[in-house]
């Protein structure tokens, strides 16, 4: 049933304020936890604490997954130790691991001590994997059946053990030692004859992840095979967990956010913009700004090198902002397109020559377009003003030819730099748009004044 957000939250808030827990239970009873959890997560921490004391463990765990990281810590401080223990034990293993991973070490250890022996073992095993690995994200809540069972036996097992599993869309088939043999969609069980052997439903067409795999690789595998869940196997091919599509959606969002922040010339914030501490945000942004500022100083150095040319033909200085911004813009475009294509797996590093050929063609055509506009602008303007002097046609050719070369160079720089960084083992998103623009600014000036020297020599220079 759909929930009317404003009315629902107001009614729940009133019930909590009046400490009407029987009325609260009656109000929440018709709703699935997944439907109301995002709305309840928006309540103030004090009311959330009262809610957690009065509602079921299942609902508490569902709501907890939607609460902002900072509010989670505050909430836990308002609950008793048994209440915190019950909540942590109820959380899905992957959600709990993500929560513990964001805590300071001493607090994470304290939270671990509140878990039951079985859940503590699970949590410690998951947290032993590298950060941002598949092992940290996987859950142990899956259903596995044997190939010699009948469909009737498998469905009976699913009814008995599947209630609290992460997903039932996929059923995994393993042998007696736990080695994964196949994954089978549950609809095949539902449509098959009850006496059919599970082995007859297998087609051997499945994909797996390793616990040490990076989450970006997992995202690519999910995209490739279009699955709602993927099994995780160890070196012996034993099934040790699964990763579900809802976790991959979170990963896709986080990776896209991280890349966008880096493309903007900043380190990844790792926290929501509205909640990150001001000092931490300044620290994340200051480093790149300083690097870019020092890089732009090279522009001034390049300008001083061509001081004599500027003194002889002051008109050249009028077009410096136009020239360097065009190259920087072309480079930023190319860098953004290549970085995103790399992230989506549209090509491999070995295809660098293919990328270079495309950018050579694209950069040349874009340069001709901008160069033509620049040429026409000067020629037309000169008909109504003498600002460009008697040699305005040569100035127009200088600007036009320079734009062709600079836009072409900017496109090549923007497309090749991410590939070089990827080859060296760095994040391609580090080659941010401002960084590419700064590099192209300096080299653009050299191209501009070199072209001016050859075209204007003997006239203005």
């Amino acid at each position: 049933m759909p929930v009317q957000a404003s009315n629902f939250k107001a009614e729940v808030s009133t019930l909590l304020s009046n400490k009407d827990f029987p009325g609260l239970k009656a109000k929440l009873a018709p709703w699935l936890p997944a439907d109301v959890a995002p709305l309840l997560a928006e309540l103030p921490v004090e009311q959330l604490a009262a809610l957690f004391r009065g509602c079921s463990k299942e609902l508490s765990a569902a709501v907890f997954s939607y609460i902002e990281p900072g509010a989670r810590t505050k909430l836990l401080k308002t609950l008793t130790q048994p209440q915190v223990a019950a909540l942590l034990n109820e959380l899905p293993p992957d959600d709990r691991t993500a929560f513990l991973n964001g805590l300071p070490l001493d607090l994470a250890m304290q939270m671990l001590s509140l878990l039951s022996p079985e859940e503590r073992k699970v949590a410690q095993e998951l947290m032993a994997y590298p950060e941002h690995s598949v092992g940290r994200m996987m859950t142990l809540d899956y259903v596995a059946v044997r190939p010699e069972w009948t469909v009737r036996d498998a469905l009976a097992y699913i009814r008995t053990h599947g209630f609290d599993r992460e997903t039932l869309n996929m059923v995994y088939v393993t042998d007696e030692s736990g080695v994964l043999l196949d994954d089978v969609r549950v609809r095949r069980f539902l449509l098959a004859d009850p006496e059919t052997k599970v082995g007859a439903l297998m087609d051997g067409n499945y994909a797996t992840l390793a616990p040490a795999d990076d989450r970006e690789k997992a995202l690519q595998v999910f995209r490739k095979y279009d699955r709602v869940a993927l099994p995780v196997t160890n070196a012996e091919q034993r099934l040790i967990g699964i990763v579900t599509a809802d976790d991959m959606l979170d990963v896709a969002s986080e990776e896209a956010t991280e890349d966008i922040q880096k493309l903007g010339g900043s380190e990844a914030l790792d926290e929501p913009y509205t909640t990150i501490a001001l000092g931490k945000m300044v620290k994340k942004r200051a480093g790149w700004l300083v690097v870019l500022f020092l890089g732009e100083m090279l522009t001034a150095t390049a300008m001083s090198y061509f001081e004599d040319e500027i003194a002889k033909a002051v008109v050249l200085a009028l077009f410096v902002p136009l020239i360097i911004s065009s190259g920087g813009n072309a480079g930023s475009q190319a860098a953004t397109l290549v970085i995103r294509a790399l992230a989506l797996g549209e090509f491999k590093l070995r295809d660098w020559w293919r990328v270079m050929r495309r950018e050579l063609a694209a950069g040349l055509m874009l340069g001709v377009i901008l160069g033509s506009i620049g040429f026409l602008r000067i020629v037309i303007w000169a008909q109504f003003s003498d600002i460009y002097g008697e040699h305005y046609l040569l100035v127009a050719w200088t600007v036009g030819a320079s734009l062709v070369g600079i836009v072409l160079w900017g496109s090549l720089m923007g497309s090749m730099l991410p590939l070089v960084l990827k080859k060296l083992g760095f994040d391609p998103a580090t080659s941010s748009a401002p960084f590419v623009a700064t590099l192209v600014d300096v080299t653009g000036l050299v191209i501009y004044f070199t072209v001016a020297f050859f075209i204007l020599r003997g006239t203005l220079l």
Side-chain angles (χ1 to χ4, degrees):
M1 279 187 251
V3 180
Q4 297 295 326
S6 57
N7 294 340
F8 183 82
K9 285 191 292 183
E11 292 173 11
V12 170
S13 181
T14 301
L15 291 170
L16 288 170
S17 299
N18 296 333
K19 299 183 178 179
D20 184 2
F21 292 111
L24 178 65
K25 289 182 179 179
K27 180 69 179 176
L28 297 178
W31 310 109
L32 292 172
D35 290 331
V36 297
L39 301 176
L40 297 177
E42 298 176 5
L43 293 171
V45 171
E46 296 76 16
Q47 290 191 337
L48 279 172
L51 175 71
F52 276 42
R53 296 187 190 102
C55 68
S56 66
K57 292 187 296 183
E58 180 186 9
L59 180 59
S60 296
V63 173
F64 191 78
S65 300
Y66 288 92
I67 299 174
E68 291 292 332
R72 288 180 180 178
T73 306
K74 293 179 183 178
L75 173 64
L76 292 180
K77 291 179 180 178
T78 66
L79 300 177
T80 64
Q81 194 171 86
Q83 289 169 342
V84 174
L87 172 63
L88 292 177
N89 280 297
E90 188 66 26
L91 285 175
D94 51 342
D95 290 344
R96 183 173 57 215
T97 302
F99 168 64
L100 295 175
N101 186 51
L103 297 177
L105 181 59
D106 56 341
L107 185 55
M109 296 303 294
Q110 184 181 344
M111 295 292 110
L112 276 173
S113 68
L114 298 178
L115 297 174
S116 65
E118 296 81 7
E119 293 297 332
R120 187 184 309 123
K121 181 182 178 182
V122 170
Q124 288 173 336
E125 287 177 354
L126 295 184
M127 293 186 69
Y129 292 109
E131 189 175 3
H132 301 314
S133 68
V134 166
R136 284 283 184 100
M137 299 167 50
M138 70 181 182
T139 178
L140 310 185
D141 294 335
Y142 58 86
V143 174
V145 298
R146 298 287 181 80
E148 65 270 15
W149 292 0
T150 64
V151 169
R152 186 190 305 278
D153 296 333
L155 289 175
Y157 181 85
I158 293 170
R159 291 188 191 99
T160 304
H161 298 89
F163 179 76
D164 57 351
R165 294 302 185 246
E166 184 84 3
T167 178
L168 290 178
N169 287 13
M170 303 298 297
V171 177
Y172 300 94
V173 185
T174 61
D175 64 15
E176 62 278 359
S177 61
V179 173
L180 180 66
L181 302 177
D182 205 352
D183 58 2
V184 182
R185 296 184 186 274
V186 73
R187 69 183 180 189
R188 299 196 64 189
F189 286 89
L190 297 176
L191 298 174
D193 185 279
E195 301 307 318
T196 301
K197 295 289 186 182
V198 171
L201 304 181
M202 295 165 47
D203 59 10
N205 183 20
Y206 66 96
T208 63
L209 296 169
D213 285 343
D214 185 81
R215 63 183 189 177
E216 288 189 31
K217 178 182 178 182
L219 190 58
Q220 292 173 358
V221 176
F222 264 89
R223 287 196 184 108
K224 181 178 180 179
Y225 293 100
D226 195 24
R227 297 294 179 94
V228 295
L230 281 174
V232 182
T233 57
N234 61 15
E236 291 77 33
Q237 296 304 306
R238 288 189 175 90
L239 180 63
I240 59 175
I242 64 170
V243 177
T244 52
D246 60 323
D247 294 320
M248 285 296 102
L249 290 174
D250 294 336
V251 170
S253 175
E254 291 171 11
E255 291 293 327
T257 299
E258 182 179 309
D259 286 347
I260 289 170
Q261 289 170 347
K262 288 182 178 179
L263 281 171
S266 168
E267 293 182 41
L269 297 184
D270 301 324
E271 294 180 42
Y273 172 80
T274 54
T275 59
I276 188 172
L278 181 61
K280 190 174 180 180
M281 183 172 67
V282 171
K283 182 180 178 182
K284 293 277 188 181
R285 295 167 64 176
W288 267 113
L289 283 178
V290 171
V291 171
L292 295 172
F293 179 74
L294 294 175
E296 288 292 355
M297 285 183 176
L298 296 175
T299 304
T301 303
M303 290 281 288
S304 65
Y305 182 80
F306 294 103
E307 185 177 357
D308 292 341
E309 284 77 5
I310 295 174
K312 295 176 183 177
V314 179
V315 69
L316 293 177
L318 298 176
F319 298 99
V320 167
L322 169 72
I323 293 292
I324 63 176
S325 65
S326 297
N329 291 339
S332 299
Q333 276 188 343
T336 302
L337 294 173
V338 169
I339 290 169
R340 189 56 183 162
L342 272 175
L344 294 176
E346 294 178 2
F347 65 87
K348 305 295 184 183
L349 280 179
R350 62 175 178 269
D351 301 321
W352 66 271
W353 175 241
R354 202 171 115 209
V355 176
M356 177 179 280
R357 280 188 304 175
R358 289 182 65 85
E359 287 303 317
L360 275 170
L364 182 60
M365 287 188 283
L366 291 170
V368 170
I369 291 171
L370 295 185
S372 300
I373 294 173
F375 178 88
L376 291 173
R377 192 267 189 200
I378 295 173
V379 171
I380 294 172
W381 201 272
Q383 308 307 311
F384 307 96
S385 169
D386 59 355
I387 187 174
Y388 304 127
E390 60 179 315
H391 300 291
Y392 70 87
L393 201 56
L394 292 178
V395 173
W397 279 113
T398 298
V399 171
S402 298
L403 280 169
V404 173
I406 291 169
V407 171
L408 175 59
W409 174 247
S411 297
L412 286 175
M413 285 278 288
S415 60
M416 291 295 105
L417 187 58
L419 302 184
V420 172
L421 291 174
K422 180 78 171 178
K423 181 67 175 178
L424 295 176
F426 297 105
D427 187 346
T430 306
S431 55
S432 61
F435 182 50
V436 171
T438 300
L439 290 177
V440 176
D441 284 353
V442 180
T443 52
L445 284 173
V446 175
I447 294 173
Y448 177 45
F449 285 107
T450 301
V451 171
F453 177 78
F454 284 106
I455 294 179
L456 300 177
R457 184 171 53 179
T459 53
L460 293 178
L461 297 179

